[in-house]
Amino acid sequence: GAGVSQSPSNKVTEKGKDVELRCDPISGHTALYWYRQSLGQGLEFLIYFQGNSAPDKSGLPSDRFSAERTGGSVSTLTIQRTQQEDSAVYLCASSFGSSGSNEQFFGPGTRLTVL
Amino acid sequence: KNEVEQSPQNLTAQEGEFITINCSYSVGISALHWLQQHPGGGIVSLFMLSSGKKKHGRLIATINIQEKHSSLHITASHPRDSAVYICAVSSTGNQFYFGTGTSLTVIP
């Protein structure tokens, strides 16, 4: 595809359930980022993958959050035992190289609602 | 403590006005990004800059590295410019910090 895609676009789940959010970056982009945007709040960095390097997980809010990137392409963000405060829009972005020197392209986001 | 501060938080302008949004940051950066988010829409990167000034159409972005400050200017504003404008920085440690955004409304 031409841009970053994310699925699902919307996810409603019950508290305590696990969810998986998917991101397909732009082909050839080596860097992939996950962010969270809570209602009425700014964007928050979660995790950063660069090539085959170990990911920078410093933004993950708790150990219920994890992410992986298979084959240097598709990434999955997993939230275990979801809580109501996890409700937010989860955004994925990719860039050709690190964001320090390259423009990031954002996906449309996944809106997660935890009931 | 916010690594990136934006002002104003909200801005209403008449169509045609010149608009300035300011961004200050406290960390060492490799680049600063200006992003645009329309209501219910995705995020689009407007500018990425590490020095000087960039122009794209009616939009101009400047950065002063010594003062750790950037401005986004919109000339001849139009209602379609109504959006949230977000300043973000890539730190030298590859962290990414966001401002809280400036909500711009341009009235016809």
Side-chain angles (χ1 to χ4, degrees):
Chain A
V4 178
S5 60
Q6 292 185 245
S7 59
S9 55
N10 282 283
K11 176 73 177 178
V12 179
T13 190
E14 293 179 348
K15 178 182 171 181
K17 301 282 190 184
D18 297 352
V19 295
E20 282 191 354
L21 312 179
R22 177 187 167 108
C23 172
D24 281 271
I26 292 172
S27 177
H29 280 191
T30 58
L32 186 147
Y33 306 79
W34 282 99
Y35 303 104
R36 175 168 76 172
Q37 188 173 36
S38 302
L39 185 63
Q41 306 217 4
L43 283 152
E44 175 188 5
F45 165 79
L46 297 177
I47 188 169
Y48 160 58
F49 295 89
Q50 174 59 55
N52 295 322
S53 303
D56 177 350
K57 304 179 182 180
S58 59
L60 294 179
S62 78
D63 59 9
R64 295 187 295 104
F65 288 72
S66 63
E68 62 177 25
R69 188 179 185 193
T70 54
S73 180
V74 171
S75 178
T76 303
L77 177 70
T78 301
I79 309 173
Q80 296 178 308
R81 305 181 302 281
T82 52
Q83 304 294 312
Q84 287 183 330
E85 62 262 27
D86 299 334
S87 296
V89 175
Y90 289 82
L91 290 154
C92 174
S94 70
S95 68
F96 186 71
S98 73
S99 67
S101 56
N102 294 279
E103 179 183 2
Q104 288 195 20
F105 294 83
F106 286 79
T110 293
R111 182 175 297 277
L112 175 66
T113 303
V114 182
L115 302 176
Chain B
K1 165 182 172 290
N2 292 325
E3 288 81 3
V4 180
E5 300 277 359
Q6 277 185 246
S7 64
Q9 278 192 307
N10 295 283
L11 182 56
T12 300
Q14 292 288 332
E15 183 173 358
E17 284 186 2
F18 180 84
I19 289 163
T20 296
I21 300 171
N22 294 300
C23 175
S24 297
Y25 54 92
S26 58
V27 295
I29 69 167
S30 51
L32 182 142
H33 305 252
W34 281 102
L35 310 172
Q36 181 192 57
Q37 186 173 33
H38 281 285
I43 294 176
V44 174
S45 176
L46 297 175
F47 294 103
M48 185 190 68
L49 64 167
S50 55
S51 66
K53 174 180 172 178
K54 286 190 176 181
K55 184 175 189 293
H56 185 250
R58 296 179 294 105
L59 302 178
I60 303 166
T62 64
I63 188 169
N64 185 318
I65 296 296
Q66 287 72 31
E67 295 187 3
K68 294 190 172 181
H69 181 269
S70 175
S71 293
L72 176 68
H73 306 286
I74 305 175
T75 61
S77 59
H78 190 277
R80 66 174 173 267
D81 297 328
S82 298
V84 175
Y85 292 84
I86 303 167
C87 174
V89 300
S90 308
S91 76
T92 48
N94 264 334
Q95 292 280 316
F96 210 66
Y97 301 102
F98 294 90
T100 53
T102 295
S103 180
L104 171 65
T105 302
V106 181
I107 300 170

CSV table of all heavy atoms in Angstrom, one decimal, chain B residues 16-67:
chain,number,residue,atom,x,y,z
B,16,GLY,N,-7.8,34.8,6.4
B,16,GLY,CA,-6.9,35.8,5.9
B,16,GLY,C,-5.8,36.3,6.9
B,16,GLY,O,-4.8,36.9,6.4
B,17,GLU,N,-6.0,36.1,8.1
B,17,GLU,CA,-5.1,36.5,9.1
B,17,GLU,C,-3.8,35.7,9.1
B,17,GLU,O,-3.8,34.5,8.6
B,17,GLU,CB,-5.7,36.4,10.5
B,17,GLU,CG,-6.7,37.5,10.9
B,17,GLU,CD,-7.1,37.4,12.3
B,17,GLU,OE1,-6.6,36.6,13.1
B,17,GLU,OE2,-8.0,38.3,12.7
B,18,PHE,N,-2.7,36.3,9.6
B,18,PHE,CA,-1.4,35.7,9.7
B,18,PHE,C,-1.4,35.0,11.1
B,18,PHE,O,-1.7,35.6,12.1
B,18,PHE,CB,-0.3,36.7,9.6
B,18,PHE,CG,1.1,36.2,9.7
B,18,PHE,CD1,1.7,35.6,8.6
B,18,PHE,CD2,1.8,36.2,10.9
B,18,PHE,CE1,3.0,35.1,8.7
B,18,PHE,CE2,3.1,35.8,11.0
B,18,PHE,CZ,3.7,35.2,9.9
B,19,ILE,N,-1.0,33.8,11.1
B,19,ILE,CA,-1.0,33.0,12.4
B,19,ILE,C,0.3,32.5,12.7
B,19,ILE,O,1.1,32.1,11.9
B,19,ILE,CB,-2.0,31.8,12.2
B,19,ILE,CG1,-3.4,32.3,12.1
B,19,ILE,CG2,-1.8,30.8,13.3
B,19,ILE,CD1,-4.4,31.2,11.5
B,20,THR,N,0.6,32.6,14.0
B,20,THR,CA,1.9,32.1,14.5
B,20,THR,C,1.6,31.1,15.7
B,20,THR,O,0.9,31.5,16.6
B,20,THR,CB,2.8,33.2,15.0
B,20,THR,OG1,3.2,34.0,13.9
B,20,THR,CG2,4.1,32.6,15.6
B,21,ILE,N,2.2,30.0,15.7
B,21,ILE,CA,2.2,29.0,16.8
B,21,ILE,C,3.6,28.8,17.2
B,21,ILE,O,4.5,28.6,16.4
B,21,ILE,CB,1.5,27.7,16.3
B,21,ILE,CG1,0.1,27.9,15.8
B,21,ILE,CG2,1.6,26.7,17.5
B,21,ILE,CD1,-0.5,26.7,15.2
B,22,ASN,N,3.8,28.8,18.5
B,22,ASN,CA,5.2,28.7,19.1
B,22,ASN,C,5.4,27.4,19.8
B,22,ASN,O,4.5,26.8,20.4
B,22,ASN,CB,5.4,29.9,20.1
B,22,ASN,CG,5.4,31.2,19.4
B,22,ASN,OD1,6.2,31.4,18.5
B,22,ASN,ND2,4.5,32.1,19.7
B,23,CYS,N,6.7,27.0,19.8
B,23,CYS,CA,7.1,25.7,20.4
B,23,CYS,C,8.4,25.9,21.0
B,23,CYS,O,9.4,26.4,20.4
B,23,CYS,CB,7.1,24.6,19.3
B,23,CYS,SG,7.8,23.1,19.9
B,24,SER,N,8.5,25.6,22.3
B,24,SER,CA,9.8,25.6,23.0
B,24,SER,C,10.1,24.2,23.5
B,24,SER,O,9.2,23.5,23.9
B,24,SER,CB,9.8,26.6,24.2
B,24,SER,OG,9.6,27.9,23.7
B,25,TYR,N,11.4,23.8,23.6
B,25,TYR,CA,11.7,22.5,24.0
B,25,TYR,C,12.9,22.6,24.9
B,25,TYR,O,13.7,23.6,24.9
B,25,TYR,CB,12.0,21.6,22.8
B,25,TYR,CG,13.0,22.1,21.9
B,25,TYR,CD1,14.3,21.8,22.0
B,25,TYR,CD2,12.6,22.9,20.8
B,25,TYR,CE1,15.3,22.3,21.1
B,25,TYR,CE2,13.5,23.4,19.9
B,25,TYR,CZ,14.9,23.1,20.0
B,25,TYR,OH,15.8,23.6,19.1
B,26,SER,N,13.1,21.5,25.7
B,26,SER,CA,14.2,21.6,26.8
B,26,SER,C,15.2,20.5,26.6
B,26,SER,O,16.2,20.5,27.3
B,26,SER,CB,13.5,21.5,28.2
B,26,SER,OG,12.8,20.2,28.2
B,27,VAL,N,15.1,19.7,25.6
B,27,VAL,CA,16.0,18.6,25.4
B,27,VAL,C,16.9,18.9,24.2
B,27,VAL,O,16.5,19.7,23.3
B,27,VAL,CB,15.3,17.2,25.2
B,27,VAL,CG1,14.6,16.9,26.5
B,27,VAL,CG2,14.4,17.3,24.0
B,28,GLY,N,18.0,18.2,24.1
B,28,GLY,CA,18.8,18.2,22.9
B,28,GLY,C,18.1,17.5,21.8
B,28,GLY,O,17.6,16.4,22.0
B,29,ILE,N,18.1,18.1,20.6
B,29,ILE,CA,17.3,17.5,19.6
B,29,ILE,C,18.2,17.2,18.3
B,29,ILE,O,19.2,17.8,18.1
B,29,ILE,CB,16.1,18.3,19.2
B,29,ILE,CG1,16.5,19.6,18.4
B,29,ILE,CG2,15.2,18.6,20.4
B,29,ILE,CD1,15.3,20.3,17.8
B,30,SER,N,17.7,16.2,17.6
B,30,SER,CA,18.3,16.0,16.2
B,30,SER,C,17.3,16.6,15.2
B,30,SER,O,17.8,16.9,14.1
B,30,SER,CB,18.5,14.5,16.0
B,30,SER,OG,17.4,13.7,16.3
B,31,ALA,N,16.1,16.7,15.5
B,31,ALA,CA,15.1,17.3,14.6
B,31,ALA,C,13.9,17.7,15.3
B,31,ALA,O,13.5,17.2,16.4
B,31,ALA,CB,14.8,16.4,13.4
B,32,LEU,N,13.2,18.7,14.7
B,32,LEU,CA,11.9,19.1,15.3
B,32,LEU,C,10.9,18.9,14.1
B,32,LEU,O,11.1,19.2,13.0
B,32,LEU,CB,11.9,20.6,15.7
B,32,LEU,CG,10.7,21.2,16.3
B,32,LEU,CD1,11.0,22.2,17.4
B,32,LEU,CD2,9.8,21.9,15.3
B,33,HIS,N,9.7,18.5,14.5
B,33,HIS,CA,8.6,18.2,13.6
B,33,HIS,C,7.4,19.0,13.9
B,33,HIS,O,7.0,19.2,15.1
B,33,HIS,CB,8.2,16.7,13.7
B,33,HIS,CG,9.4,15.7,13.5
B,33,HIS,ND1,9.6,14.9,12.4
B,33,HIS,CD2,10.4,15.4,14.3
B,33,HIS,CE1,10.6,14.2,12.6
B,33,HIS,NE2,11.2,14.4,13.7
B,34,TRP,N,6.7,19.5,12.8
B,34,TRP,CA,5.4,20.1,13.0
B,34,TRP,C,4.4,19.1,12.3
B,34,TRP,O,4.6,18.7,11.1
B,34,TRP,CB,5.4,21.4,12.3
B,34,TRP,CG,5.9,22.5,13.2
B,34,TRP,CD1,7.2,23.1,13.0
B,34,TRP,CD2,5.3,23.1,14.3
B,34,TRP,NE1,7.4,24.1,14.0
B,34,TRP,CE2,6.2,24.1,14.8
B,34,TRP,CE3,4.1,23.0,15.0
B,34,TRP,CZ2,6.0,24.9,15.9
B,34,TRP,CZ3,3.8,23.8,16.0
B,34,TRP,CH2,4.7,24.7,16.5
B,35,LEU,N,3.4,18.7,13.1
B,35,LEU,CA,2.4,17.8,12.6
B,35,LEU,C,1.0,18.5,12.6
B,35,LEU,O,0.8,19.4,13.3
B,35,LEU,CB,2.3,16.6,13.5
B,35,LEU,CG,3.7,15.9,13.8
B,35,LEU,CD1,3.5,14.9,14.9
B,35,LEU,CD2,4.3,15.3,12.6
B,36,GLN,N,0.2,18.0,11.7
B,36,GLN,CA,-1.2,18.5,11.6
B,36,GLN,C,-2.2,17.4,11.8
B,36,GLN,O,-2.0,16.3,11.2
B,36,GLN,CB,-1.4,19.2,10.3
B,36,GLN,CG,-2.8,19.8,10.0
B,36,GLN,CD,-3.0,20.2,8.6
B,36,GLN,OE1,-2.9,19.3,7.7
B,36,GLN,NE2,-3.3,21.4,8.3
B,37,GLN,N,-3.2,17.6,12.6
B,37,GLN,CA,-4.3,16.6,12.8
B,37,GLN,C,-5.6,17.3,12.7
B,37,GLN,O,-6.0,18.1,13.5
B,37,GLN,CB,-4.1,16.0,14.2
B,37,GLN,CG,-5.1,14.9,14.5
B,37,GLN,CD,-4.8,14.1,15.8
B,37,GLN,OE1,-4.4,14.7,16.8
B,37,GLN,NE2,-5.0,12.8,15.8
B,38,HIS,N,-6.3,16.9,11.6
B,38,HIS,CA,-7.7,17.4,11.4
B,38,HIS,C,-8.6,16.6,12.3
B,38,HIS,O,-8.4,15.5,12.7
B,38,HIS,CB,-8.1,17.3,10.0
B,38,HIS,CG,-7.5,18.3,9.1
B,38,HIS,ND1,-8.0,19.6,9.1
B,38,HIS,CD2,-6.5,18.3,8.2
B,38,HIS,CE1,-7.3,20.3,8.2
B,38,HIS,NE2,-6.4,19.6,7.7
B,39,PRO,N,-9.8,17.2,12.7
B,39,PRO,CA,-10.8,16.6,13.6
B,39,PRO,C,-11.1,15.2,13.0
B,39,PRO,O,-11.5,15.1,11.8
B,39,PRO,CB,-12.0,17.5,13.6
B,39,PRO,CG,-11.4,18.9,13.2
B,39,PRO,CD,-10.2,18.6,12.3
B,40,GLY,N,-11.0,14.2,13.8
B,40,GLY,CA,-11.3,12.8,13.3
B,40,GLY,C,-10.4,12.3,12.3
B,40,GLY,O,-10.7,11.2,11.7
B,41,GLY,N,-9.4,13.0,12.0
B,41,GLY,CA,-8.5,12.6,10.9
B,41,GLY,C,-7.1,12.1,11.4
B,41,GLY,O,-6.8,12.2,12.6
B,42,GLY,N,-6.4,11.7,10.5
B,42,GLY,CA,-5.0,11.2,10.9
B,42,GLY,C,-4.0,12.3,11.0
B,42,GLY,O,-4.4,13.5,10.9
B,43,ILE,N,-2.8,12.0,11.3
B,43,ILE,CA,-1.8,12.9,11.5
B,43,ILE,C,-0.9,13.0,10.3
B,43,ILE,O,-0.5,12.0,9.7
B,43,ILE,CB,-0.9,12.6,12.7
B,43,ILE,CG1,-1.8,12.7,14.0
B,43,ILE,CG2,0.3,13.5,12.8
B,43,ILE,CD1,-1.1,12.2,15.2
B,44,VAL,N,-0.6,14.2,9.9
B,44,VAL,CA,0.2,14.5,8.7
B,44,VAL,C,1.4,15.3,9.1
B,44,VAL,O,1.3,16.2,9.9
B,44,VAL,CB,-0.6,15.2,7.6
B,44,VAL,CG1,0.3,15.6,6.5
B,44,VAL,CG2,-1.7,14.4,7.1
B,45,SER,N,2.6,14.9,8.6
B,45,SER,CA,3.8,15.6,8.9
B,45,SER,C,3.9,16.8,8.0
B,45,SER,O,3.8,16.7,6.8
B,45,SER,CB,5.0,14.7,8.7
B,45,SER,OG,6.2,15.4,8.9
B,46,LEU,N,4.0,18.0,8.6
B,46,LEU,CA,4.1,19.2,7.8
B,46,LEU,C,5.6,19.6,7.5
B,46,LEU,O,5.9,19.9,6.3
B,46,LEU,CB,3.5,20.4,8.5
B,46,LEU,CG,2.0,20.3,8.8
B,46,LEU,CD1,1.5,21.5,9.6
B,46,LEU,CD2,1.2,20.2,7.5
B,47,PHE,N,6.4,19.6,8.5
B,47,PHE,CA,7.8,19.9,8.4
B,47,PHE,C,8.6,19.1,9.3
B,47,PHE,O,8.2,18.7,10.4
B,47,PHE,CB,8.0,21.4,8.8
B,47,PHE,CG,7.4,22.4,7.9
B,47,PHE,CD1,6.2,23.1,8.3
B,47,PHE,CD2,8.0,22.7,6.7
B,47,PHE,CE1,5.6,24.0,7.5
B,47,PHE,CE2,7.4,23.7,5.9
B,47,PHE,CZ,6.2,24.3,6.2
B,48,MET,N,9.8,18.9,8.9
B,48,MET,CA,10.9,18.3,9.8
B,48,MET,C,12.1,19.2,9.5
B,48,MET,O,12.5,19.4,8.4
B,48,MET,CB,11.2,16.9,9.4
B,48,MET,CG,12.2,16.3,10.4
B,48,MET,SD,12.8,14.7,9.8
B,48,MET,CE,13.8,15.2,8.3
B,49,LEU,N,12.6,19.8,10.6
B,49,LEU,CA,13.7,20.7,10.4
B,49,LEU,C,14.7,20.7,11.6
B,49,LEU,O,14.3,20.4,12.7
B,49,LEU,CB,13.2,22.2,10.2
B,49,LEU,CG,12.5,23.0,11.2
B,49,LEU,CD1,12.4,24.5,10.8
B,49,LEU,CD2,11.1,22.5,11.4
B,50,SER,N,15.9,20.9,11.3
B,50,SER,CA,16.9,20.9,12.4
B,50,SER,C,17.7,22.2,12.4
B,50,SER,O,18.5,22.5,13.3
B,50,SER,CB,17.9,19.8,12.1
B,50,SER,OG,18.5,19.8,10.8
B,51,SER,N,17.4,23.1,11.5
B,51,SER,CA,18.0,24.4,11.5
B,51,SER,C,17.3,25.3,10.5
B,51,SER,O,16.6,24.8,9.5
B,51,SER,CB,19.5,24.4,11.1
B,51,SER,OG,19.6,24.0,9.8
B,52,GLY,N,17.4,26.6,10.7
B,52,GLY,CA,16.9,27.6,9.7
B,52,GLY,C,15.4,27.6,9.6
B,52,GLY,O,14.6,27.7,10.5
B,53,LYS,N,15.0,27.5,8.3
B,53,LYS,CA,13.6,27.8,7.9
B,53,LYS,C,13.2,27.0,6.8
B,53,LYS,O,14.0,26.7,5.9
B,53,LYS,CB,13.6,29.3,7.5
B,53,LYS,CG,12.3,29.9,7.0
B,53,LYS,CD,12.5,31.4,6.7
B,53,LYS,CE,11.3,32.0,5.9
B,53,LYS,NZ,11.5,33.4,5.7
B,54,LYS,N,11.9,26.6,6.8
B,54,LYS,CA,11.4,25.8,5.6
B,54,LYS,C,10.0,26.4,5.3
B,54,LYS,O,9.3,26.9,6.1
B,54,LYS,CB,11.2,24.3,5.9
B,54,LYS,CG,12.5,23.6,6.0
B,54,LYS,CD,12.3,22.1,6.0
B,54,LYS,CE,13.6,21.3,5.9
B,54,LYS,NZ,13.4,19.8,6.0
B,55,LYS,N,9.7,26.4,4.0
B,55,LYS,CA,8.4,26.9,3.5
B,55,LYS,C,7.8,25.9,2.6
B,55,LYS,O,8.4,25.3,1.8
B,55,LYS,CB,8.7,28.2,2.8
B,55,LYS,CG,7.5,29.0,2.3
B,55,LYS,CD,7.9,30.3,1.7
B,55,LYS,CE,6.7,31.2,1.4
B,55,LYS,NZ,5.8,30.7,0.3
B,56,HIS,N,6.5,25.8,2.8
B,56,HIS,CA,5.7,24.9,1.9
B,56,HIS,C,4.3,25.6,1.7
B,56,HIS,O,3.5,25.6,2.6
B,56,HIS,CB,5.5,23.5,2.5
B,56,HIS,CG,4.8,22.6,1.6
B,56,HIS,ND1,3.5,22.1,1.9
B,56,HIS,CD2,5.2,22.0,0.5
B,56,HIS,CE1,3.2,21.3,0.9
B,56,HIS,NE2,4.2,21.2,0.0
B,57,GLY,N,4.1,26.2,0.5
B,57,GLY,CA,2.9,26.9,0.3
B,57,GLY,C,2.7,28.1,1.2
B,57,GLY,O,3.6,28.9,1.3
B,58,ARG,N,1.6,28.1,2.0
B,58,ARG,CA,1.4,29.2,2.9
B,58,ARG,C,2.0,28.9,4.3
B,58,ARG,O,1.8,29.7,5.2
B,58,ARG,CB,-0.1,29.4,3.0
B,58,ARG,CG,-0.8,29.9,1.7
B,58,ARG,CD,-2.3,30.1,1.9
B,58,ARG,NE,-3.0,28.8,2.1
B,58,ARG,CZ,-3.5,28.5,3.3
B,58,ARG,NH1,-3.3,29.2,4.4
B,58,ARG,NH2,-4.1,27.3,3.4
B,59,LEU,N,2.6,27.8,4.4
B,59,LEU,CA,3.2,27.4,5.7
B,59,LEU,C,4.7,27.7,5.8
B,59,LEU,O,5.4,27.4,4.8
B,59,LEU,CB,2.9,26.0,6.0
B,59,LEU,CG,1.5,25.5,6.0
B,59,LEU,CD1,1.4,24.0,6.3
B,59,LEU,CD2,0.6,26.3,7.1
B,60,ILE,N,5.1,28.2,6.9
B,60,ILE,CA,6.5,28.5,7.1
B,60,ILE,C,6.9,28.0,8.5
B,60,ILE,O,6.2,28.3,9.5
B,60,ILE,CB,6.9,30.0,7.0
B,60,ILE,CG1,6.4,30.6,5.7
B,60,ILE,CG2,8.3,30.3,7.3
B,60,ILE,CD1,6.4,32.1,5.6
B,61,ALA,N,8.0,27.3,8.6
B,61,ALA,CA,8.5,26.8,9.9
B,61,ALA,C,9.9,27.3,10.1
B,61,ALA,O,10.7,27.3,9.2
B,61,ALA,CB,8.4,25.3,10.0
B,62,THR,N,10.2,27.8,11.3
B,62,THR,CA,11.5,28.3,11.6
B,62,THR,C,12.0,27.6,12.9
B,62,THR,O,11.1,27.2,13.7
B,62,THR,CB,11.5,29.8,11.8
B,62,THR,OG1,10.7,30.2,12.9
B,62,THR,CG2,11.0,30.5,10.6
B,63,ILE,N,13.2,27.6,13.1
B,63,ILE,CA,13.8,27.0,14.3
B,63,ILE,C,15.0,27.8,14.7
B,63,ILE,O,15.9,28.1,13.8
B,63,ILE,CB,14.1,25.5,14.2
B,63,ILE,CG1,14.5,24.9,15.6
B,63,ILE,CG2,15.2,25.2,13.2
B,63,ILE,CD1,14.5,23.4,15.6
B,64,ASN,N,15.2,28.0,16.0
B,64,ASN,CA,16.4,28.7,16.6
B,64,ASN,C,16.9,27.7,17.6
B,64,ASN,O,16.4,27.5,18.7
B,64,ASN,CB,16.0,30.0,17.2
B,64,ASN,CG,17.2,30.7,17.8
B,64,ASN,OD1,18.1,30.1,18.3
B,64,ASN,ND2,17.3,32.0,17.5
B,65,ILE,N,18.0,27.0,17.1
B,65,ILE,CA,18.6,25.9,18.0
B,65,ILE,C,19.1,26.5,19.3
B,65,ILE,O,19.0,25.9,20.3
B,65,ILE,CB,19.7,25.2,17.2
B,65,ILE,CG1,19.1,24.5,15.9
B,65,ILE,CG2,20.4,24.2,18.1
B,65,ILE,CD1,18.1,23.4,16.2
B,66,GLN,N,19.8,27.6,19.2
B,66,GLN,CA,20.4,28.2,20.4
B,66,GLN,C,19.3,28.5,21.5
B,66,GLN,O,19.5,28.3,22.7
B,66,GLN,CB,21.2,29.5,20.1
B,66,GLN,CG,22.5,29.2,19.4
B,66,GLN,CD,22.3,28.8,17.9
B,66,GLN,OE1,21.3,29.2,17.3
B,66,GLN,NE2,23.2,28.0,17.4
B,67,GLU,N,18.2,29.0,21.0
B,67,GLU,CA,17.1,29.4,21.9
B,67,GLU,C,16.1,28.2,22.2
B,67,GLU,O,15.2,28.4,23.0
B,67,GLU,CB,16.3,30.6,21.4
B,67,GLU,CG,17.2,31.9,21.4
B,67,GLU,CD,16.4,33.1,21.0
B,67,GLU,OE1,15.2,33.0,20.8
B,67,GLU,OE2,17.1,34.2,20.9
